[in-house]
Amino acid sequence: MKPYVIIGNGVAAAACIEGIRSIDVKTPITVISEENHPVYCRPLISYYLEGKTDPERMSYRAPDFYEKMKCTVLYGERAVSINKRSKTVVLESGEGIQYSSVCLACGSSPFVPRFEGLENVKEQYSFMTSDDAEALGQALHKDAKVLIVGAGLIGLKCAEGIHGRAGHITVCDLAERVLSSILDTECAGMMQTAMEDAGIEFMLGDSVARFEENKAHMNSGKTVDFDILVLAVGVRANTYLLKDLGGEVGRGIVVNEKMETSVPNIYVAGDCTEGEDITLGGRRVLAIFPNAYLQGHAAGVNMAGGEEICNKGIPMNSIGFFGMHAMTAGSYYGEEDGGECFEERTKNTLKRLFVRDGKLTGFILIGITERAGIYTSLIREQTPLDQVDFEMLKKIASSAAFSQESRRQKFSRPV
Amino acid sequence: MKRVYVNEEWCLACHLCEYNCAFANSGHSDMVLALKGKKLYPRIHVEGDEKISYAVSCRHCLDPLCVKSCIAGALSRKEGIIEVDQNKCVGCLTCVLVCPYGALAPNEDGIMQKCELCLKNSAGEPACVAGCPNKAIVYEEREVI
Ligand SMILES: Cc1cc2nc3c(=O)[nH]c(=O)nc-3n(C[C@H](O)[C@H](O)[C@H](O)COP(=O)(O)OP(=O)(O)OC[C@H]3O[C@@H](n4cnc5c(N)ncnc54)[C@H](O)[C@@H]3O)c2cc1C
């Protein structure tokens, strides 16, 4: 029996394993894991540095997970190519592994643009893996001046994680605002203020022109002295395995709702994919944890001959920094794109709901979290807003805004 | 599997379910000691307005989005019951972001807690149901439609 092969060992891989085993409990599964660890919760690496979790609690599944799931895990091995004719995955060591079907769950890698003089910086770190976090943790000391390049989710989570263990933290980004891919200017400002209040310094609309070993010369002409550099500029989907086969690849590996790629018997899931974002009406890389699980599970079920469709993909994030929470989902269309924004605010909270063509397409909630999933579900289900009491929903997320019949379906029977 | 179901036509919005829930999960044997003068963090919430009201707690979904979305691997489904491992939870609230029923809310420390049907506390079965004066909340088997 040729095994199912999974390349990568992150959450998409774990979900793929669970998906396969929900259908097929017999056929062996081989997992190729570049990282030398059982699957762990990647988003928790900042909480680890913060002391809010530890390697044991960070592990995503119980220690006997692979054994129970009848998986062989090849730790420290990297897949370098796939031969689709002989249905073989080739490892760096030269070894070939035959597959019946294979799932690419390769995630993404940090993207490092060319910075002049970067090679002079001895203390430089990425922030993607538990090994990265471990290494950064070793280097930190209470007087350390840290420069983080990148004010996206990863850079800011890193800043929060190391805040209590460093002397001073500066975050720079070419973008004019923090979390620019998920927040508009005003909301980003609120999050930035929360972080500044905690002592983190920002240099926005500015980036590094040139590095010396412990100094960054910024585009603006300013300079920043640092002991430790963290590069969190962005990530790129790992697409090479499919690209080399001539398969369809955009910014990620193109995937359909069954998690198939353009190449037969090759499935794909998680951060390395580019799939449909229903709020965009087009494809996008959705590099978020829930998407990786949902896709991984569907891929597994379909590989094993079952049927599971994954067709409600949307961007969504729930993140807090120093006690200030932001929840976001979907796409935000402005008036120029036929969208409308409804806003509710108090002194410390801000809610923006984005509507187009009679449907909720996105939201930003700063400092409000109650029942936010009701909004998310309106987006995922593409519920026409004339079927609900939208006036009520603008004020509060509540099932009371739905019809009695819809509540009966939710609360009076198994769902 | 038995689950908690609500009948909004019979709900009086008396909020007793919230008190009984908070008490059952408090670990105290005296309701006054457990609740008096304290802000309640129950795992069931009465929602609605003057016209309608109903109580919402975890639906223990057959295909739980919260479990699939949990970035800490803290939520799991054991014999149909969705449980949270508070030792693993980091309070990111992704589960709140995805629960379509608005059924989840954190405890006073920002860590998730949720209805686990009182099977592990001293009540032994849902305290919200036992204390509902009007049978607006019931605990029973119903068929999947
Ligand atoms: C600091 C940080 C915070 C985050 N916070 C959040 C958050 O709050 N919410 C959220 O939704 N998401 C968050 N994310 C994103 C989330 O972690 C990812 O969406 C998720 O981990 C994707 O899972 P995956 O399995 O697709 O990929 P990964 O978890 O990246 O796993 C892919 C694995 O495949 C391995 N691999 C790649 N190529 C090969 C090969 N050729 N051979 C063998 N192995 C290979 C890689 O080494 C890697 O271990 C965060 C990410 C980071 C880094």
mmCIF file with all atom_site columns, all heavy atoms in Angstrom, chain A residues 269-283:
data_model
loop_
_atom_site.group_PDB
_atom_site.id
_atom_site.type_symbol
_atom_site.label_atom_id
_atom_site.label_alt_id
_atom_site.label_comp_id
_atom_site.label_asym_id
_atom_site.label_entity_id
_atom_site.label_seq_id
_atom_site.pdbx_PDB_ins_code
_atom_site.Cartn_x
_atom_site.Cartn_y
_atom_site.Cartn_z
_atom_site.occupancy
_atom_site.B_iso_or_equiv
_atom_site.pdbx_formal_charge
_atom_site.auth_seq_id
_atom_site.auth_comp_id
_atom_site.auth_asym_id
_atom_site.auth_atom_id
_atom_site.pdbx_PDB_model_num
ATOM 1   N N   . ALA A 1 269 ? -2.780  22.653 1.219  1.00 0.00 ? 269 ALA A N   1
ATOM 2   C CA  . ALA A 1 269 ? -3.560  23.269 2.297  1.00 0.00 ? 269 ALA A CA  1
ATOM 3   C C   . ALA A 1 269 ? -2.708  24.246 3.093  1.00 0.00 ? 269 ALA A C   1
ATOM 4   O O   . ALA A 1 269 ? -1.501  24.073 3.219  1.00 0.00 ? 269 ALA A O   1
ATOM 5   C CB  . ALA A 1 269 ? -4.087  22.179 3.247  1.00 0.00 ? 269 ALA A CB  1
ATOM 6   N N   . GLY A 1 270 ? -3.366  25.273 3.623  1.00 0.00 ? 270 GLY A N   1
ATOM 7   C CA  . GLY A 1 270 ? -2.726  26.179 4.569  1.00 0.00 ? 270 GLY A CA  1
ATOM 8   C C   . GLY A 1 270 ? -2.067  27.383 3.917  1.00 0.00 ? 270 GLY A C   1
ATOM 9   O O   . GLY A 1 270 ? -2.442  27.827 2.844  1.00 0.00 ? 270 GLY A O   1
ATOM 10  N N   . ASP A 1 271 ? -1.047  27.886 4.609  1.00 0.00 ? 271 ASP A N   1
ATOM 11  C CA  . ASP A 1 271 ? -0.404  29.154 4.227  1.00 0.00 ? 271 ASP A CA  1
ATOM 12  C C   . ASP A 1 271 ? 0.224   29.145 2.835  1.00 0.00 ? 271 ASP A C   1
ATOM 13  O O   . ASP A 1 271 ? 0.518   30.197 2.290  1.00 0.00 ? 271 ASP A O   1
ATOM 14  C CB  . ASP A 1 271 ? 0.698   29.500 5.237  1.00 0.00 ? 271 ASP A CB  1
ATOM 15  C CG  . ASP A 1 271 ? 0.150   30.143 6.493  1.00 0.00 ? 271 ASP A CG  1
ATOM 16  O OD1 . ASP A 1 271 ? -1.079  30.068 6.715  1.00 0.00 ? 271 ASP A OD1 1
ATOM 17  O OD2 . ASP A 1 271 ? 0.948   30.720 7.257  1.00 0.00 ? 271 ASP A OD2 1
ATOM 18  N N   . CYS A 1 272 ? 0.478   27.967 2.283  1.00 0.00 ? 272 CYS A N   1
ATOM 19  C CA  . CYS A 1 272 ? 1.120   27.945 0.961  1.00 0.00 ? 272 CYS A CA  1
ATOM 20  C C   . CYS A 1 272 ? 0.095   28.033 -0.169 1.00 0.00 ? 272 CYS A C   1
ATOM 21  O O   . CYS A 1 272 ? 0.461   27.987 -1.338 1.00 0.00 ? 272 CYS A O   1
ATOM 22  C CB  . CYS A 1 272 ? 2.018   26.713 0.803  1.00 0.00 ? 272 CYS A CB  1
ATOM 23  S SG  . CYS A 1 272 ? 1.166   25.149 0.933  1.00 0.00 ? 272 CYS A SG  1
ATOM 24  N N   . THR A 1 273 ? -1.196  28.170 0.158  1.00 0.00 ? 273 THR A N   1
ATOM 25  C CA  . THR A 1 273 ? -2.215  28.178 -0.896 1.00 0.00 ? 273 THR A CA  1
ATOM 26  C C   . THR A 1 273 ? -2.646  29.594 -1.273 1.00 0.00 ? 273 THR A C   1
ATOM 27  O O   . THR A 1 273 ? -2.491  30.536 -0.502 1.00 0.00 ? 273 THR A O   1
ATOM 28  C CB  . THR A 1 273 ? -3.505  27.448 -0.454 1.00 0.00 ? 273 THR A CB  1
ATOM 29  O OG1 . THR A 1 273 ? -4.104  28.188 0.624  1.00 0.00 ? 273 THR A OG1 1
ATOM 30  C CG2 . THR A 1 273 ? -3.215  26.043 -0.014 1.00 0.00 ? 273 THR A CG2 1
ATOM 31  N N   . GLU A 1 274 ? -3.238  29.679 -2.435 1.00 0.00 ? 274 GLU A N   1
ATOM 32  C CA  . GLU A 1 274 ? -3.947  30.877 -2.849 1.00 0.00 ? 274 GLU A CA  1
ATOM 33  C C   . GLU A 1 274 ? -5.339  30.391 -3.237 1.00 0.00 ? 274 GLU A C   1
ATOM 34  O O   . GLU A 1 274 ? -5.504  29.715 -4.253 1.00 0.00 ? 274 GLU A O   1
ATOM 35  C CB  . GLU A 1 274 ? -3.226  31.520 -4.041 1.00 0.00 ? 274 GLU A CB  1
ATOM 36  C CG  . GLU A 1 274 ? -3.890  32.773 -4.540 1.00 0.00 ? 274 GLU A CG  1
ATOM 37  C CD  . GLU A 1 274 ? -3.186  33.341 -5.771 1.00 0.00 ? 274 GLU A CD  1
ATOM 38  O OE1 . GLU A 1 274 ? -2.059  33.835 -5.652 1.00 0.00 ? 274 GLU A OE1 1
ATOM 39  O OE2 . GLU A 1 274 ? -3.781  33.266 -6.856 1.00 0.00 ? 274 GLU A OE2 1
ATOM 40  N N   . GLY A 1 275 ? -6.304  30.686 -2.390 1.00 0.00 ? 275 GLY A N   1
ATOM 41  C CA  . GLY A 1 275 ? -7.659  30.185 -2.622 1.00 0.00 ? 275 GLY A CA  1
ATOM 42  C C   . GLY A 1 275 ? -8.647  31.329 -2.694 1.00 0.00 ? 275 GLY A C   1
ATOM 43  O O   . GLY A 1 275 ? -8.305  32.494 -2.497 1.00 0.00 ? 275 GLY A O   1
ATOM 44  N N   . GLU A 1 276 ? -9.884  30.963 -2.958 1.00 0.00 ? 276 GLU A N   1
ATOM 45  C CA  . GLU A 1 276 ? -10.943 31.953 -3.112 1.00 0.00 ? 276 GLU A CA  1
ATOM 46  C C   . GLU A 1 276 ? -11.218 32.643 -1.768 1.00 0.00 ? 276 GLU A C   1
ATOM 47  O O   . GLU A 1 276 ? -11.391 31.988 -0.747 1.00 0.00 ? 276 GLU A O   1
ATOM 48  C CB  . GLU A 1 276 ? -12.196 31.210 -3.598 1.00 0.00 ? 276 GLU A CB  1
ATOM 49  C CG  . GLU A 1 276 ? -13.369 32.085 -3.952 1.00 0.00 ? 276 GLU A CG  1
ATOM 50  C CD  . GLU A 1 276 ? -13.245 32.738 -5.320 1.00 0.00 ? 276 GLU A CD  1
ATOM 51  O OE1 . GLU A 1 276 ? -12.302 32.421 -6.070 1.00 0.00 ? 276 GLU A OE1 1
ATOM 52  O OE2 . GLU A 1 276 ? -14.097 33.585 -5.619 1.00 0.00 ? 276 GLU A OE2 1
ATOM 53  N N   . ASP A 1 277 ? -11.240 33.967 -1.793 1.00 0.00 ? 277 ASP A N   1
ATOM 54  C CA  . ASP A 1 277 ? -11.729 34.751 -0.652 1.00 0.00 ? 277 ASP A CA  1
ATOM 55  C C   . ASP A 1 277 ? -13.107 35.229 -1.070 1.00 0.00 ? 277 ASP A C   1
ATOM 56  O O   . ASP A 1 277 ? -13.229 36.032 -1.993 1.00 0.00 ? 277 ASP A O   1
ATOM 57  C CB  . ASP A 1 277 ? -10.767 35.920 -0.389 1.00 0.00 ? 277 ASP A CB  1
ATOM 58  C CG  . ASP A 1 277 ? -11.360 36.967 0.567  1.00 0.00 ? 277 ASP A CG  1
ATOM 59  O OD1 . ASP A 1 277 ? -12.500 36.790 1.047  1.00 0.00 ? 277 ASP A OD1 1
ATOM 60  O OD2 . ASP A 1 277 ? -10.659 37.962 0.828  1.00 0.00 ? 277 ASP A OD2 1
ATOM 61  N N   . ILE A 1 278 ? -14.142 34.732 -0.400 1.00 0.00 ? 278 ILE A N   1
ATOM 62  C CA  . ILE A 1 278 ? -15.499 35.025 -0.880 1.00 0.00 ? 278 ILE A CA  1
ATOM 63  C C   . ILE A 1 278 ? -15.853 36.505 -0.741 1.00 0.00 ? 278 ILE A C   1
ATOM 64  O O   . ILE A 1 278 ? -16.787 36.982 -1.361 1.00 0.00 ? 278 ILE A O   1
ATOM 65  C CB  . ILE A 1 278 ? -16.578 34.159 -0.183 1.00 0.00 ? 278 ILE A CB  1
ATOM 66  C CG1 . ILE A 1 278 ? -16.544 34.360 1.333  1.00 0.00 ? 278 ILE A CG1 1
ATOM 67  C CG2 . ILE A 1 278 ? -16.408 32.691 -0.539 1.00 0.00 ? 278 ILE A CG2 1
ATOM 68  C CD1 . ILE A 1 278 ? -17.706 33.699 2.051  1.00 0.00 ? 278 ILE A CD1 1
ATOM 69  N N   . THR A 1 279 ? -15.095 37.254 0.049  1.00 0.00 ? 279 THR A N   1
ATOM 70  C CA  . THR A 1 279 ? -15.396 38.684 0.165  1.00 0.00 ? 279 THR A CA  1
ATOM 71  C C   . THR A 1 279 ? -14.677 39.491 -0.916 1.00 0.00 ? 279 THR A C   1
ATOM 72  O O   . THR A 1 279 ? -14.880 40.686 -1.053 1.00 0.00 ? 279 THR A O   1
ATOM 73  C CB  . THR A 1 279 ? -14.985 39.248 1.539  1.00 0.00 ? 279 THR A CB  1
ATOM 74  O OG1 . THR A 1 279 ? -13.560 39.170 1.685  1.00 0.00 ? 279 THR A OG1 1
ATOM 75  C CG2 . THR A 1 279 ? -15.655 38.490 2.650  1.00 0.00 ? 279 THR A CG2 1
ATOM 76  N N   . LEU A 1 280 ? -13.830 38.824 -1.654 1.00 0.00 ? 280 LEU A N   1
ATOM 77  C CA  . LEU A 1 280 ? -13.017 39.502 -2.656 1.00 0.00 ? 280 LEU A CA  1
ATOM 78  C C   . LEU A 1 280 ? -13.522 39.172 -4.052 1.00 0.00 ? 280 LEU A C   1
ATOM 79  O O   . LEU A 1 280 ? -13.364 39.943 -4.987 1.00 0.00 ? 280 LEU A O   1
ATOM 80  C CB  . LEU A 1 280 ? -11.560 39.023 -2.504 1.00 0.00 ? 280 LEU A CB  1
ATOM 81  C CG  . LEU A 1 280 ? -10.470 39.792 -3.221 1.00 0.00 ? 280 LEU A CG  1
ATOM 82  C CD1 . LEU A 1 280 ? -10.296 41.155 -2.570 1.00 0.00 ? 280 LEU A CD1 1
ATOM 83  C CD2 . LEU A 1 280 ? -9.161  39.009 -3.139 1.00 0.00 ? 280 LEU A CD2 1
ATOM 84  N N   . GLY A 1 281 ? -14.152 37.999 -4.168 1.00 0.00 ? 281 GLY A N   1
ATOM 85  C CA  . GLY A 1 281 ? -14.503 37.539 -5.493 1.00 0.00 ? 281 GLY A CA  1
ATOM 86  C C   . GLY A 1 281 ? -13.250 37.252 -6.297 1.00 0.00 ? 281 GLY A C   1
ATOM 87  O O   . GLY A 1 281 ? -13.152 37.543 -7.475 1.00 0.00 ? 281 GLY A O   1
ATOM 88  N N   . GLY A 1 282 ? -12.262 36.711 -5.638 1.00 0.00 ? 282 GLY A N   1
ATOM 89  C CA  . GLY A 1 282 ? -11.002 36.384 -6.293 1.00 0.00 ? 282 GLY A CA  1
ATOM 90  C C   . GLY A 1 282 ? -10.138 35.611 -5.328 1.00 0.00 ? 282 GLY A C   1
ATOM 91  O O   . GLY A 1 282 ? -10.540 35.352 -4.198 1.00 0.00 ? 282 GLY A O   1
ATOM 92  N N   . ARG A 1 283 ? -8.964  35.233 -5.801 1.00 0.00 ? 283 ARG A N   1
ATOM 93  C CA  . ARG A 1 283 ? -8.085  34.428 -4.959 1.00 0.00 ? 283 ARG A CA  1
ATOM 94  C C   . ARG A 1 283 ? -7.110  35.296 -4.179 1.00 0.00 ? 283 ARG A C   1
ATOM 95  O O   . ARG A 1 283 ? -6.739  36.369 -4.609 1.00 0.00 ? 283 ARG A O   1
ATOM 96  C CB  . ARG A 1 283 ? -7.311  33.432 -5.823 1.00 0.00 ? 283 ARG A CB  1
ATOM 97  C CG  . ARG A 1 283 ? -8.166  32.318 -6.381 1.00 0.00 ? 283 ARG A CG  1
ATOM 98  C CD  . ARG A 1 283 ? -7.274  31.231 -6.963 1.00 0.00 ? 283 ARG A CD  1
ATOM 99  N NE  . ARG A 1 283 ? -6.272  31.814 -7.839 1.00 0.00 ? 283 ARG A NE  1
ATOM 100 C CZ  . ARG A 1 283 ? -6.337  31.785 -9.166 1.00 0.00 ? 283 ARG A CZ  1
ATOM 101 N NH1 . ARG A 1 283 ? -7.350  31.200 -9.755 1.00 0.00 ? 283 ARG A NH1 1
ATOM 102 N NH2 . ARG A 1 283 ? -5.376  32.327 -9.885 1.00 0.00 ? 283 ARG A NH2 1
#
